Amino acid sequence: MTAFITQTLGSYIAEEALARVPSDVFDKSKLCLLDSLGCLFGGRQLPTAGMLKNLRVNSQVAPSSGGPVSGCAEPAAAAFVKATLINALDFDDIYEKGHPGATVIAAALSVAEHTKSSGTEFLEAVIIGYEVSCRVGISLAHVQPRKAIHGHGTWQIFGAAAAAARLMRLDAGRAAHAIAIAAANAPVASVMKTVYGDAPSMAKNNFGMAAQMGVLAARLAAAGYEGPLDVFEGETGFWRMAGADECRFDKLTKGLGAAYEILRVGFKPFSCCRLILSSVQASRDVIRMAGIDPADGLHAKMIVTAPPIVCEPPFSKVRPRDMWAAQFSAPHAIAMAVFGVEPGPDWFVDDWLHDEIAGRFQDSIELRPHTSHASPRGAHAASAWLRLRDGQSFERHVDVAEGEASNPMPKSALEGKFLRLASPVVGDSGACEAIDNVYALDKAGSLRTLLRVLVS
């Protein structure tokens, strides 16, 4: 009898081992953790963090490996908070679609705190979470050029469920039910309203609920609760629930445990939507080529040629009035980059959101869609053309933005990003200690040292 897809995934969750994982996958898992932790520290500097404090409920929960742990938030609620903060700046990792680390890392950190997991067990859960989440994501095919139903949290719930199931040491059968329960309780695909609607909001990708429900799905499965094991199969499968036009079933399990999707994960150099990274990079570079101060008003015009979606709202919005609109605004992101503002929380402070000089620079940007005959190599390729008032002109084209997996950010740059985000929260020494702890995690008997830095 052929196994259901949930059962194949359940077996993978229960059986994957760090000892058989290729070294590049092992190394990448640490970088994914480092990037998500940096974004978590960045999110803790935002007003949103204060709003979420009430969800951090102190309780005693009996972990699967021993006695109760006191002073820790209930893991599902803790996962909601962490996932929301990791994604809050839109600075978190990127994949073919979505930001898988927000839900995987949030769930793994929250559950590991209770299960007293070792560093090796934690990294195994992270790798497993990425593989399951990403594979479900890329299996959801949209034939229409512009989707009516769209949402990453809808499928990223599976990364949270898989990571939690592994850390809770569920067997293959229980892990399969965790995936099935997650499918039946996934958040609705709401991005066309929460991001592409008239007013982008802090609800955004709904990663908080995806992480919370993923953890809860694993806990329910551990308690004996059951889900529909055939949830992926057939014309009424999960892909229909998620609003996809079809399901590429081979993407779900082909090469599972041999070909690793985590290697196709990238890291952002700018705190804005992935769709506009190339536009931001090209614009920053062309200003540098011209050697001008953007505040001086020496340029007559800047034309940015970008994918058509970037030339439409909300991405074309000039002078956004809050951070949720700003992180999807190409003109705002371009202005922050060319004015040399450090990516992260500083991009969204009121002083910059309402700065008149930066606003006038945004007004000078003309967004033009790629023409039908253009064939850039990168899906999000962009060009920036700058003309100065003295008649000089400069042009810069970016096929693949720095930070994409095919044009990776140097390790030193990723570490620099982490230090900039973490130091305001834990100090320079605490941030350096966190980096050391991440790199040595496979040798750590527990996550206690790393978790201590996170709560300081």
Side-chain angles (χ1 to χ4, degrees):
M1 179 179 175
T2 303
F4 291 123
I5 290 169
T6 52
Q7 293 171 315
T8 301
L9 295 176
S11 295
Y12 171 71
I13 292 167
E15 296 167 8
E16 178 67 285
L18 205 60
R20 75 180 189 189
V21 169
S23 59
D24 55 347
V25 173
F26 169 67
D27 293 339
K28 188 63 174 285
S29 69
K30 293 181 178 181
L31 297 181
C32 288
L33 173 60
L34 186 68
D35 189 67
S36 285
L37 291 179
C39 293
L40 177 59
F41 282 123
R44 285 173 59 179
Q45 299 170 52
L46 301 173
T48 311
M51 301 176 193
L52 297 172
K53 277 187 176 180
N54 291 336
L55 292 179
R56 296 172 183 164
V57 181
N58 289 337
S59 61
Q60 287 192 337
V61 179
S64 60
S65 59
V69 176
S70 61
C72 300
E74 191 278 325
F80 180 98
V81 173
K82 289 183 176 69
T84 301
L85 293 180
I86 289 171
N87 181 243
L89 290 167
D90 218 318
F91 210 1
D92 44 332
D93 63 12
I94 48 179
Y95 175 63
E96 183 175 319
K97 54 172 73 174
H99 308 262
T103 44
V104 172
I105 301 297
L109 285 171
S110 301
V111 175
E113 192 169 4
H114 292 274
T115 56
K116 296 183 178 179
S117 301
S118 68
T120 294
E121 290 171 326
F122 180 85
L123 290 174
E124 287 172 341
V126 167
I127 292 168
I128 289 166
Y130 269 90
E131 293 312 303
V132 172
S133 185
C134 291
R135 285 172 174 276
V136 176
I138 61 175
S139 76
L140 305 175
H142 297 275
V143 178
Q144 301 301 318
R146 184 65 184 263
K147 301 178 286 292
I149 303 174
H150 181 38
H152 301 313
T154 310
W155 56 265
Q156 286 189 206
I157 188 173
F158 297 103
R166 178 52 179 253
L167 288 168
M168 293 173 62
R169 304 171 181 90
L170 301 190
D171 63 24
R174 290 291 95 202
H177 278 291
I179 295 298
I181 295 166
N185 292 277
V188 297
S190 58
V191 166
M192 296 308 292
K193 182 63 70 173
T194 58
V195 172
Y196 294 165
D198 293 335
S201 73
M202 66 179 67
K204 292 207 301 178
N205 297 296
N206 206 4
F207 289 159
M209 189 56 68
Q212 180 174 6
M213 192 58 226
V215 172
L216 185 56
R219 297 188 72 186
L220 285 167
Y225 199 88
E226 295 183 347
L229 292 178
D230 65 345
V231 72
F232 287 110
E233 279 84 4
E235 284 296 312
T236 57
F238 176 78
W239 57 281
R240 283 290 193 197
M241 304 176 203
D245 298 318
E246 60 186 43
C247 184
R248 295 170 181 161
F249 290 103
D250 62 314
K251 298 283 188 181
L252 285 163
T253 56
K254 185 178 180 180
L256 186 62
Y260 290 85
E261 292 300 312
I262 195 172
L263 295 176
R264 299 204 295 131
V265 170
F267 308 113
K268 290 183 179 180
F270 304 117
S271 44
C272 60
C273 179
R274 177 195 187 186
L275 295 174
I276 59 180
L277 291 177
S278 294
S279 299
V280 176
Q281 184 180 333
S283 300
R284 180 203 62 188
D285 292 352
V286 82
I287 290 288
R288 290 177 176 176
M289 291 165 61
I292 65 169
D293 181 345
D296 290 341
L298 296 177
H299 71 289
K301 194 169 192 178
M302 175 181 275
I303 298 174
V304 177
T305 304
I309 191 173
V310 175
C311 305
E312 302 171 357
F315 301 103
S316 60
K317 175 71 174 178
V318 176
R319 300 189 186 218
R321 308 312 290 175
D322 61 56
M323 70 168 288
W324 311 110
Q327 58 194 237
F328 297 102
S329 164
H332 175 82
I334 289 170
M336 293 301 95
V338 303
F339 276 79
V341 183
E342 288 287 1
D346 287 349
W347 275 30
F348 308 115
V349 297
D350 285 342
D351 285 350
W352 279 115
L353 287 172
H354 305 300
D355 185 85
E356 182 58 27
I357 295 176
R360 286 200 297 269
F361 183 86
Q362 293 182 49
D363 294 339
S364 75
I365 300 170
E366 179 183 344
L367 295 171
R368 290 184 181 176
H370 288 307
T371 57
S372 58
H373 64 271
S375 56
R377 294 198 308 271
H380 308 135
S383 298
W385 179 82
L386 179 74
R387 180 166 61 85
L388 304 185
R389 296 193 183 279
D390 64 8
Q392 295 184 81
S393 63
F394 302 85
E395 187 169 8
R396 173 78 166 97
H397 179 76
V398 174
D399 264 320
V400 180
E402 180 180 325
E404 294 280 357
S406 58
N407 184 19
M409 182 187 296
K411 185 178 179 182
S412 59
L414 185 62
E415 292 172 350
K417 172 183 173 180
F418 177 86
L419 291 171
R420 291 195 306 273
L421 292 170
S423 292
V425 180
V426 296
D428 293 343
S429 61
C432 290
E433 179 186 351
I435 292 176
D436 291 340
N437 287 333
V438 168
Y439 289 158
L441 204 54
D442 53 306
K443 302 177 181 63
S446 75
L447 270 68
R448 189 175 302 275
T449 303
L450 178 62
L451 292 172
R452 186 175 67 245
V453 175
L454 295 182
V455 299
S456 60

